[in-house]
Amino acid sequence: LLAIDVQNTFCIPEFELFVGGRSGKGAVEDSTRLCEFIYRNLGVITEIVLTMDTHTAAQIFHPVFWVNAAGEHPSPMTMISRADVEQGIWSANPRVNLGQSADRLQAHALHYVRQLDAAGKFPLTIWPYHSMLGGIGHAIVSSVEEACFFHSMARDSQTRFEVKGGNPLTENYSVLKPEVLEDEVKEAIAHKNMALVQTLLNFDVVLIAGQAKSHCVAWTIDDLLTEIQAIDPTLAQKIYLLEDCSSPVVVPGIVDFTDQAEQTYQRFATAGMQVIKSTDWTIAQQ
């Protein structure tokens, strides 16, 4: 079981980036179903992997990284496009200290949005400060953590924690690969998590849940599918997506990624992955 970013930040109302979906209750209900799924399937879940989005303040997707001509930071949920940076609407904040000169930081900022554009990815989203390392929002939802601990005791199986998102120079929606791997001079700034890819593909079945369906979950599945198609496309058949244990990002009146998430999941199904409800999956199927 790969449970992606089931953290207070995303799963508890009033926290920094609660994933409510269109119902407004999305991640709360998803976490309940996920816990029930774990307890119901203790006898067949061999290992649980929990990913943890992990951030500090000065990162490329947080407001403090950017300024406009007036020295103002972008508001959360601002989309920064390639054109915005090329035209000087938004620039890297020269006061941010990441061990680079202001000119080098600006060069990376421009390179970064160009890379996103060239790859056909969403424009850079400025998120509220969230999943802050050391903060309460960073922690796994208590009920899910307890279920994983119970599983660990019942099955003598250590829960595996995968931390992601700490690199200040790139987004890291997927636990398997950061959004941008190289800087403007072709030097590596991040690497794929091939160790986890290999671990997942060694299992007979991989079940995937977590938050958010439109972002970190979708990106992780997409990267896994890319690796599968390079190795053996039939491996996609052993990937099960628990669609009722994930919700898309919806900020009423601002953004709604529900349709994009559904289209993405349909693409995964077309590739051979199994899109199911948590209550429909049984040992008998295997």
Side-chain angles (χ1 to χ4, degrees):
L1 172 64
L2 175 61
I4 298 168
D5 298 358
V6 189
Q7 297 163 268
N8 291 335
T9 276
F10 305 110
C11 299
I12 304 296
E14 309 304 326
F15 270 72
E16 306 100 329
L17 202 53
F18 173 60
V19 182
R22 286 180 176 170
S23 72
K25 302 177 181 178
V28 172
E29 296 177 344
D30 296 337
S31 296
T32 298
R33 286 187 284 264
L34 179 59
C35 288
E36 292 172 347
F37 180 83
I38 292 171
Y39 288 123
R40 191 166 58 245
N41 292 287
L42 284 172
V44 72
I45 298 173
T46 308
E47 183 177 329
I48 296 176
V49 179
L50 294 176
T51 76
M52 298 187 73
D53 213 27
T54 304
H55 303 314
T56 50
Q59 298 198 238
I60 200 166
F61 45 80
H62 278 159
V64 73
F65 187 94
W66 298 90
V67 290
N68 60 17
E72 302 165 328
H73 302 301
S75 301
M77 306 313 298
T78 296
M79 302 285 186
I80 296 182
S81 68
R82 171 179 177 170
D84 290 337
V85 182
E86 290 178 339
Q87 296 169 16
I89 296 172
W90 295 110
S91 302
N93 182 358
R95 299 184 59 171
V96 168
N97 183 5
L98 295 176
Q100 299 184 355
S101 68
D103 288 344
R104 182 74 185 274
L105 203 61
Q106 175 62 20
H108 176 74
L110 180 56
H111 164 78
Y112 190 85
V113 293
R114 285 173 172 169
Q115 288 292 104
L116 293 182
D117 185 63
K121 295 180 179 291
F122 289 150
L124 174 65
T125 301
I126 302 303
W127 298 103
Y129 299 100
H130 66 286
S131 295
M132 300 297 286
L133 181 62
I136 297 172
H138 183 252
I140 298 293
V141 172
S142 294
S143 58
V144 176
E145 189 280 329
E146 184 176 275
C148 293
F149 181 80
F150 189 91
H151 171 267
S152 187
M153 294 295 100
R155 294 297 307 271
D156 293 319
S157 173
Q158 187 87 303
T159 303
R160 176 169 174 164
F161 290 87
E162 290 284 338
V163 174
K164 68 180 179 69
N167 190 319
L169 298 178
T170 179
E171 301 156 286
N172 207 153
Y173 294 112
S174 167
V175 69
L176 302 179
K177 189 182 74 171
E179 293 301 287
V180 174
L181 297 173
E182 296 179 335
D183 65 13
E184 71 282 1
V185 294
K186 303 297 183 181
E187 292 183 358
I189 61 172
H191 303 277
K192 291 183 180 182
N193 189 347
M194 290 306 299
L196 181 56
V197 170
Q198 292 164 1
T199 294
L200 295 175
L201 294 183
N202 280 336
F203 285 99
D204 298 316
V205 171
V206 178
L207 302 136
I208 302 178
Q211 305 303 334
K213 183 178 184 179
S214 53
H215 287 74
C216 294
V217 176
W219 260 257
T220 298
I221 298 168
D222 191 57
D223 285 341
L224 183 60
L225 179 58
T226 297
E227 299 299 330
I228 283 173
Q229 290 177 331
I231 300 168
D232 177 0
T234 64
L235 294 174
Q237 298 172 14
K238 67 178 182 179
I239 311 299
Y240 286 74
L241 312 182
L242 306 181
E243 64 173 346
D244 61 338
C245 294
S246 301
S247 292
V249 170
V250 176
V251 181
I254 301 177
V255 293
D256 185 338
F257 288 99
T258 303
D259 292 340
Q260 291 96 320
E262 294 306 315
Q263 291 166 8
T264 300
Y265 265 51
Q266 181 55 54
R267 177 166 60 84
F268 296 151
T270 300
M273 293 183 175
Q274 317 291 321
V275 180
I276 62 168
K277 294 188 183 299
S278 60
T279 51
D280 292 339
W281 192 83
T282 65
I283 298 173
Q285 287 179 305
Q286 306 313 313

